[in-house]
Amino acid sequence: ISFQHDWQGYWESVSLSDVVTKLDGVGHTCYWPGDDKLWRITECWQDFYGYKTYGFVVCVNRNLAPQLHERMEAKFKATIGA
C-alpha cells in the first residue's frame, strides 16, 4: 500500500497516527520512503510525524508479503545504521 499524506481533503480530519495504528492492527508495517531509504513509522511514532505536510507513506503486509517485509525492515535498519 502507498498513499499520499498532506493537510487537505481526507487528511483535514484524520490523523496519520490513527491510520498507521489501524493498518498495524490488520498486519501492515508503514514507512516514510526516501532516496534508497526507509524510516519506519509503525511502532516508531514521533510526535512531529503528525504535522500535516506533503509526503508519501508506504506499507507492507507482514503476513501476506513476509519476504518483502523482511527486505523493507532490512532497508530501514540500514537507513538508521542498526
Side-chain angles (χ1 to χ4, degrees):
I1 298 173
S2 65
F3 56 90
Q4 177 181 316
H5 173 256
D6 60 27
W7 61 95
Q8 303 173 40
Y10 175 78
W11 294 107
E12 286 182 281
S13 61
V14 175
S15 77
L16 181 60
S17 176
D18 289 345
V19 171
V20 169
T21 298
K22 287 178 185 176
L23 286 168
D24 183 30
V26 293
H28 288 79
T29 301
C30 296
Y31 305 85
W32 296 112
D35 293 333
D36 199 35
K37 298 183 185 306
L38 288 174
W39 292 269
R40 189 175 349 117
I41 303 170
T42 304
E43 296 182 354
C44 295
W45 185 260
Q46 301 292 316
D47 288 340
F48 61 87
Y49 291 172
Y51 294 137
K52 306 234 178 189
T53 62
Y54 183 82
F56 286 90
V57 175
V58 295
C59 306
V60 60
N61 188 293
R62 299 180 294 271
N63 303 312
L64 297 177
Q67 292 176 333
L68 178 57
H69 178 253
E70 288 176 19
R71 290 197 327 253
M72 291 174 84
E73 275 296 295
K75 179 60 71 178
F76 163 65
K77 289 176 181 173
T79 297
I80 64 167

